[in-house]
């Protein structure tokens, strides 16, 4: 009885610790022991609600379109199966990026493994945050799908209950897939020198496949409707669990039991598999990291500025979580530049004569589009927090604080400037604007990069989080990330709305030029703040 209580107390303590870490970035106390203001937490909650509402509306419309077609054929289960498959893809995509770092690269892994705690219990507790994150992303799809189904056909009592429970059961399928993916990455990276690049490559491949399917969704739906019999057979055989999910959502008790057993059984198998290799992989990862750090000490640099930049660059390359989440905009801009250079000119040659839209307007909204993508690059926003408890090391170096902060900005410039210029150049080639409009397109992009990097650094200095056990906490879940990412989107939305109304009076070039002037003024102020107050704050962290 006493042993049982001890086991429960250990699991309870581990679970409480994991939940505190998960919520740390939202309600974390700063170094003075004061809680974050309620207004800040309310702002984050509002942003989350707005994100859920906007994404939910898109999936609601998709579910209605699919549901109308399949309920008319008395095959409502297929709507749930198709949308459930999308939920699995979105949930896996949304949570897979932090699975490896959350399970295998947490800073306290070695400490926990040195204690008399079974690896399976450590993994089980760590999987809770992975499950919750996957559940959040899949809910963006499943909740609107269920509501759409109710608007099409009134559900039975059994269907109503099953649909609610299946949202949570589907989370175990997503959890198993993301953990399996993270385990494969861990096995590969334990035998390779640069595991982060392998993680990024696989994640980008996954992203490309996902967006290709999303882009072709309409054509795929048409093919499905034209070949319903073959598609039904595919679900019955190749995607059997999702087939049972669809039937269960329609109120089939047998299908509900089968899916529940599959989901929970799949999770337990993955848990058993990972538990047997957790200690070995974690030890290999630590050894690899130690080797890298030793090799890094042999680096010879010619100046303090270069040494600081190389330090930031090496940190970036060593963290797949940092790369994937904070510089995704660079990848999108490169892909966008290629697409616009190939397809843009032909599209505009058909659009402009038919609509009579001036090239200045295309340039103006092109600036807005580039700004939206640039907001997805927020390398400076978590850069101070990423120093963690080891920030004392950088304080001991013979380098002024302002040079350390500038090195963080230089990394942002190095990874963002060239992709932005490529996209701006592709738009220039496709639109063929005046020389002034083309120059403004490039200047607007450049100044926005400088503004974004400075504001991200300021926000992180004001709201640092040095008490983390996994980089995911500051790269994906921090207050600074929400403010700089969604704040950038809001700023570009205001720019776009203002352009629509102001350019009925002002010329597009004048409007863009005024925004560039505002950007420049804020940049000068922000960099002065970083060199003075910001440097003092950094030195005292």
């Amino acid at each position: 009885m006493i042993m049982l209580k001890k086991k429960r107390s250990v699991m309870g303590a581990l679970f409480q610790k994991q939940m505190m870490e998960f919520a740390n970035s939202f309600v974390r106390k700063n170094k003075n022991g004061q809680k974050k203001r309620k207004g800040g937490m309310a702002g984050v909650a509002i942003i989350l609600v707005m994100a859920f509402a906007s994404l939910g509306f898109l999936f609601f419309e998709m579910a209605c379109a699919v549901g109308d077609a399949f309920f008319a054929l008395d095959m409502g289960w297929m709507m749930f199966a198709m949308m459930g498959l999308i939920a699995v893809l979105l949930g896996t995509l949304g949570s897979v990026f932090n699975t490896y770092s959350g399970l295998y690269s947490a800073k306290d892994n070695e400490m926990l493994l040195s204690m008399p705690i079974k690896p399976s219990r450590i993994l089980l507790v760590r999987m809770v945050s992975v499950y919750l994150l996957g559940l959040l992303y899949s809910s963006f799809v499943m909740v609107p799908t269920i509501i759409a189904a109710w608007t099409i056909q009134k559900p039975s009592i059994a269907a109503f209950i099953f649909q609610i429970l299946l949202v949570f059961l589907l989370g175990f399928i997503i959890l198993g897939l993301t953990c399996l993916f993270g385990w494969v990455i861990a096995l590969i990276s334990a035998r390779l020198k640069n595991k982060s690049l392998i993680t990024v490559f696989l994640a980008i491949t996954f992203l490309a496949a996902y967006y290709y399917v999303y882009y072709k969704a309409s054509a795929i739906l048409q093919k499905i409707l034209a070949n319903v019999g073959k598609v039904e057979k595919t679900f019955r055989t190749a995607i059997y669990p999702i087939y049972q999910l669809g039937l269960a959502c329609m109120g089939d008790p047998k299908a509900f039991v089968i899916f529940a057993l599959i989901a929970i059984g799949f999770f337990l198998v993955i848990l058993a598999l990972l538990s047997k290799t957790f200690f070995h992989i974690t030890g290999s990862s630590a050894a690899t990291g130690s080797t890298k750090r030793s090799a890094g000490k042999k680096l010879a640099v010619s100046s303090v500025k270069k040494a600081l930049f190389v330090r930031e660059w090496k940190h970036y390359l060593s963290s797949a979580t940092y790369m994937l989440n904070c510089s995704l905009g660079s990848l999108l801009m490169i892909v966008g530049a290629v697409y616009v250079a190939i397809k843009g000119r032909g599209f505009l040659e058909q659009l402009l004569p038919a609509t009579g839209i001036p090239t200045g307007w295309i340039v103006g909204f092109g600036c807005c589009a580039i700004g939206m993508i640039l907001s997805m690059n927020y390398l400076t926003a978590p850069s101070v927090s990423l120093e963690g408890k080891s920030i004392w090391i950088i304080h001991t170096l013979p380098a002024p604080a302002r040079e350390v902060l500038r090195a963080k900005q230089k990394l942002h410039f190095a990874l963002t400037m060239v992709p932005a210029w490529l996209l701006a150049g592709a738009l220039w080639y496709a639109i063929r604007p005046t020389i002034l409009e083309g120059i403004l397109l490039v200047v607007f992009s450049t100044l926005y990069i400088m503004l974004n990097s400075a504001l991200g650094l300021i926000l992180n200095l004001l709201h640092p989080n040095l008490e983390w056990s996994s980089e995911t906490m500051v790269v994906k879940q921090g207050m600074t990330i929400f403010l700089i990412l969604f704040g950038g989107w809001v700023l570009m939305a205001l720019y776009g709305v203002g352009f629509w109304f102001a350019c009925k009076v002002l010329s597009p070039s004048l409007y863009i030029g005024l925004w560039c002037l505002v950007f420049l003024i804020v940049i000068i102020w922000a960099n002065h703040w970083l060199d003075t107050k910001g440097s003092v704050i950094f030195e005292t962290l």
Side-chain angles (χ1 to χ4, degrees):
M1 189 69 179
I2 295 175
M3 290 296 294
L4 182 62
K5 287 183 178 180
K6 286 184 177 179
K7 289 181 180 179
R8 287 179 178 175
S9 62
V10 170
M11 288 296 293
L14 288 174
F15 180 78
Q16 183 179 10
K17 170 184 173 295
Q18 192 67 24
M19 289 298 95
M20 288 177 65
E21 289 180 359
F22 187 74
N24 190 42
S25 13
F26 303 104
V27 298
R28 184 186 62 83
K29 294 181 180 181
N30 59 29
K31 66 178 186 176
N32 295 323
Q34 297 175 344
K35 290 185 177 181
K36 289 185 176 180
R37 295 179 180 179
K38 293 181 179 180
M41 290 185 284
V44 173
I46 291 171
I47 290 173
L48 285 173
V49 171
M50 291 176 62
F52 190 94
S54 58
L55 286 175
F57 178 76
L58 293 176
F59 286 113
F60 175 80
E61 291 292 318
M62 183 187 296
C64 286
V66 174
D68 288 336
F70 286 116
F71 272 98
L73 298 173
D74 197 24
M75 297 179 66
W77 67 268
M78 191 173 285
M79 181 201 77
F80 286 106
M82 289 182 61
M83 298 303 292
L85 191 59
I86 294 174
V88 170
L89 290 174
L90 184 64
T92 305
L93 175 67
S95 56
V96 76
F97 293 157
N98 72 326
T99 301
Y100 173 78
S101 61
L103 295 183
Y104 294 102
S105 300
K107 293 173 65 176
D108 57 353
N109 272 346
E110 294 183 25
M111 180 192 72
L112 291 176
L113 287 172
S114 67
M115 301 173 68
I117 304 174
K118 292 182 179 180
S120 59
R121 294 180 182 174
I122 299 174
L123 270 174
L124 184 62
V125 171
R126 292 210 185 284
M127 285 179 178
V128 173
S129 58
V130 179
Y131 171 81
L132 292 175
L133 194 59
L135 181 65
L136 174 65
Y137 282 107
S138 63
S139 296
F140 285 143
V141 181
M142 290 306 296
V143 172
T145 297
I146 293 172
I147 296 174
W150 293 347
T151 62
I152 298 171
Q153 184 180 94
K154 185 178 180 180
S156 63
I157 296 177
F160 176 84
I161 295 173
F162 291 165
Q163 287 168 11
I164 301 300
L165 295 177
L166 286 165
V167 173
F168 297 95
L169 287 173
L170 189 63
F172 286 101
I173 296 288
I174 296 169
L175 174 61
L177 289 173
T178 52
C179 290
L180 183 62
F181 185 87
W183 176 70
V184 172
I185 294 295
L187 286 177
I188 296 174
S189 61
R191 292 166 174 78
L192 296 175
K193 291 183 179 180
N194 200 327
K195 55 191 176 184
S196 298
L197 292 180
I198 299 297
T199 306
V200 170
F201 173 76
L202 292 175
I204 289 174
T205 303
F206 191 90
L207 269 173
Y210 175 81
Y211 281 112
Y212 176 79
V213 172
Y214 183 82
Y215 180 74
K216 296 287 186 179
S218 179
I220 292 172
L221 178 59
Q222 293 299 324
K223 289 182 179 180
I224 289 173
L225 292 175
N227 302 276
V228 173
K230 293 182 180 179
V231 174
E232 182 178 3
K233 184 178 179 181
T234 301
F235 273 105
R236 288 176 182 271
T237 55
I239 323 177
Y240 182 74
I242 299 299
Y243 169 67
Q244 294 297 330
L245 170 70
L247 294 179
C249 285
M250 295 301 293
D252 188 333
K254 180 181 177 181
F256 176 80
V257 173
I258 291 174
F259 181 80
L261 291 174
I262 291 174
I264 297 174
F266 177 60
F267 162 69
L268 292 176
V269 169
I270 296 299
L271 176 62
L273 175 65
L274 268 60
S275 298
K276 291 182 178 180
T277 59
F278 182 71
F279 184 85
H280 174 70
I281 294 176
T282 303
S284 299
S285 300
T288 303
S290 177
T291 303
K292 284 185 177 182
R293 286 190 293 270
S294 298
K297 292 180 181 179
K298 299 177 183 179
L299 179 66
V301 293
S302 58
S303 67
V304 172
K305 292 181 180 180
K306 183 178 179 181
L308 291 172
F309 176 76
V310 170
R311 176 180 177 274
E312 295 295 329
W313 179 251
K314 288 175 70 67
H315 187 186
Y316 173 79
L317 291 180
S318 68
S319 174
T321 305
Y322 193 17
M323 282 190 277
L324 286 169
N325 291 279
C326 297
S327 57
L328 185 60
S330 295
L331 175 64
L332 295 179
M333 284 186 287
I334 293 172
V335 174
V338 174
Y339 183 83
V340 170
I342 296 173
K343 299 286 188 179
R345 186 61 190 166
F347 172 75
L348 290 175
E349 285 178 348
Q350 296 179 354
L351 176 68
L352 296 180
T355 60
I357 299 175
T359 57
W361 281 66
I362 304 296
V363 171
F365 286 111
C367 290
C368 183
I370 292 177
M372 286 285 188
I373 302 175
L374 286 173
S375 298
M376 299 175 69
N377 269 28
Y378 45 87
L379 289 136
T380 57
S383 61
V384 175
S385 296
L386 285 173
E387 299 288 347
K389 295 178 180 179
S390 301
I391 196 170
W392 63 270
I393 296 176
I394 195 68
H395 287 160
T396 62
L397 297 179
R402 66 176 182 273
E403 293 298 339
V404 177
L405 298 179
R406 285 173 182 170
K408 297 180 183 298
Q409 286 185 282
K410 287 177 182 177
L411 178 68
H412 185 97
F413 298 156
L415 292 165
T416 310
M417 286 288 189
V418 174
W421 289 340
L422 287 174
L423 181 54
L427 286 171
W428 193 336
Y429 167 76
I431 300 170
R432 306 287 173 87
T434 64
I435 297 296
L436 177 60
E437 291 170 346
I439 292 174
L440 285 172
L441 181 63
V442 177
V443 171
F444 183 93
S445 305
T446 304
L447 290 176
Y448 187 75
I449 292 170
M450 298 171 69
L451 175 71
N452 197 40
S453 69
L455 293 181
L457 200 52
I458 289 174
L459 287 171
N460 201 202
L461 285 168
L462 294 175
H463 302 280
N465 177 11
L466 305 176
E467 304 291 331
W468 49 266
S469 59
S470 173
E471 289 186 348
T472 302
M473 294 175 61
V474 293
V475 169
K476 294 190 69 171
Q477 302 170 9
M479 173 77 74
T480 307
I481 304 303
F482 278 102
L483 292 175
I484 198 67
L485 175 60
F486 289 100
W489 285 347
V490 170
L491 179 64
M492 287 299 99
L494 292 174
Y495 163 88
V497 173
F499 184 88
W500 178 264
F501 290 102
C503 285
K504 295 177 181 179
V505 180
L506 305 175
S507 68
S509 296
L510 179 58
Y511 181 82
I512 299 172
L514 289 173
W515 272 81
C516 289
L517 180 61
V518 173
F519 285 171
L520 183 60
I521 293 171
V522 178
I523 289 167
I524 293 172
W525 167 83
N527 282 299
H528 175 72
W529 189 93
L530 288 170
D531 288 344
T532 52
K533 293 183 180 179
S535 297
V536 173
I537 292 174
F538 184 77
E539 289 173 345
T540 57
L541 290 176

